Amino acid sequence: QKEVEQDPGPLSVPEGAIVSLNCTYSNSAFQYFMWYRQYSRKGPELLMYTYSSGNKEDGRFTAQVDKSSKYISLFIRDSQPSDSATYLCAMINNAGNNRKLIWGLGTSLAVNP
Amino acid sequence: IAGITQAPTSQILAAGRRMTLRCTQDMRHNAMYWYRQDLGLGLRLIHYSNTAGTTGKGEVPDGYSVSRANTDDFPLTLASAVPSQTSVYFCASSAGASDTQYFGPGTRLTVL
C-alpha cells in the first residue's frame, strides 16, 4: 500500500461547479499537508499549505484535513477553465531526520466552459 | 525575478552519453531536490541536499549523481544515460528541509 493514495481521475466538470479533490494516507505521523497545482508542461506550484486538522480557506480554494480519518481534501468553488490542471497532494512527517515530502500521484482536472 | 531556473529545457540524448542537468536558485534556500516525473508513477525523489556541501539519496538514485558546491547550484549528472531515464526532471528548493518546496520549470529528457 502506498503511503499516500490519490485518484488520478481524470475529473471533468462544467464551469462553475464545486470540485472536490481528495487524498488518503496511512502514516499518522504526517503533520504538514500541501496541495500543489501543475499546469501542462510546467512545474508544480504550491496552492495551499495546512498544519494538522482543520480547514484553511484562500479565495475559491479550501483545504481540509481530517487526521482522525487520515483524509485530506481540496475544494474549489465556482471552478473556472483556468483551474484545469493536475492537482497533487503532498505531506510530510516533521519528526526525526527523515523529513521528506511524500507525494500523491495527482488528479487531472478539466473544467469545461 | 526570484526563482529556480533549469537548463536545458529539453534534450534528446543517445544512450551511453553523459549528461548534466543544471539547476540554479536565487532565493538563498538551504535545501534543494531533484525529482523525476513519469506518467503513472508521479514525482519521485532522486537526490536531495539539505545544505551546501551535503547530499543524500532519494527514492530512485541509481544512475544519477549530484553535487552541491554552493547554495545556489545543484547539478544532476547522468553518467551513462539509459532509455529508462527518459523523463521530465524537476529541480526544487526550500528554505529548510521541511519547508514548502518551490519548483523549476523542468527539463524534458529523452534517451534513445
Side-chain angles (χ1 to χ4, degrees):
Chain A
Q1 183 189 5
K2 287 182 178 294
E3 280 193 278
V4 178
E5 299 278 1
Q6 184 176 10
D7 187 338
L11 186 61
S12 182
V13 301
E15 184 175 353
I18 296 174
V19 176
S20 173
L21 304 166
N22 310 296
C23 288
T24 59
Y25 62 95
S26 57
N27 188 345
S28 58
F30 287 139
Q31 296 175 300
Y32 295 90
F33 305 90
M34 284 144 269
W35 286 96
Y36 281 77
R37 177 176 62 196
Q38 185 176 21
Y39 290 115
S40 180
R41 304 183 78 88
K42 301 287 187 184
E45 57 178 337
L46 181 71
L47 199 56
M48 299 286 283
Y49 182 102
T50 56
Y51 171 71
S52 199
S53 285
N55 291 357
K56 182 175 182 179
E57 190 173 320
D58 184 1
R60 296 184 295 110
F61 298 89
T62 300
Q64 188 174 81
V65 174
D66 182 347
K67 290 197 74 179
S68 63
S69 301
K70 300 190 184 70
Y71 189 90
I72 67 171
S73 299
L74 178 70
F75 298 98
I76 307 174
R77 291 185 300 281
D78 186 26
S79 56
Q80 302 295 308
S82 59
D83 295 328
S84 298
T86 296
Y87 291 81
L88 301 103
C89 64
M91 45 200 79
I92 192 166
N93 172 7
N94 207 28
N97 294 322
N98 189 22
R99 293 175 289 179
K100 301 294 176 291
L101 272 186
I102 307 299
W103 294 87
L105 292 184
T107 299
S108 176
L109 171 67
V111 180
N112 306 302
Chain B
I1 298 176
I4 299 179
T5 57
Q6 291 184 239
T9 301
S10 65
Q11 182 75 45
I12 298 174
L13 189 66
R17 297 298 295 268
R18 180 184 179 90
M19 175 74 191
T20 295
L21 307 185
R22 299 185 298 279
C23 174
T24 300
Q25 54 102 358
D26 62 3
M27 297 176 283
R28 307 303 294 172
H29 283 172
N30 285 318
M32 297 187 75
Y33 313 84
W34 275 105
Y35 291 91
R36 59 178 291 174
Q37 188 175 39
D38 303 284
L39 195 64
L41 297 175
L43 281 166
R44 292 182 292 169
L45 184 66
I46 304 171
H47 284 287
Y48 65 94
S49 168
N50 285 336
T51 189
T54 69
T55 63
K57 294 182 179 181
E59 183 184 353
V60 289
D62 294 342
Y64 305 95
S65 63
V66 291
S67 62
R68 186 87 184 278
N70 57 60
T71 297
D72 298 343
D73 301 299
F74 191 42
L76 176 74
T77 298
L78 289 68
S80 180
V82 295
S84 61
Q85 292 178 312
T86 293
S87 187
V88 182
Y89 290 86
F90 288 103
C91 179
S93 72
S94 63
S98 57
D99 292 320
T100 303
Q101 292 185 16
Y102 296 87
F103 283 77
T107 293
R108 288 185 172 272
L109 181 66
T110 302
V111 182
L112 301 175

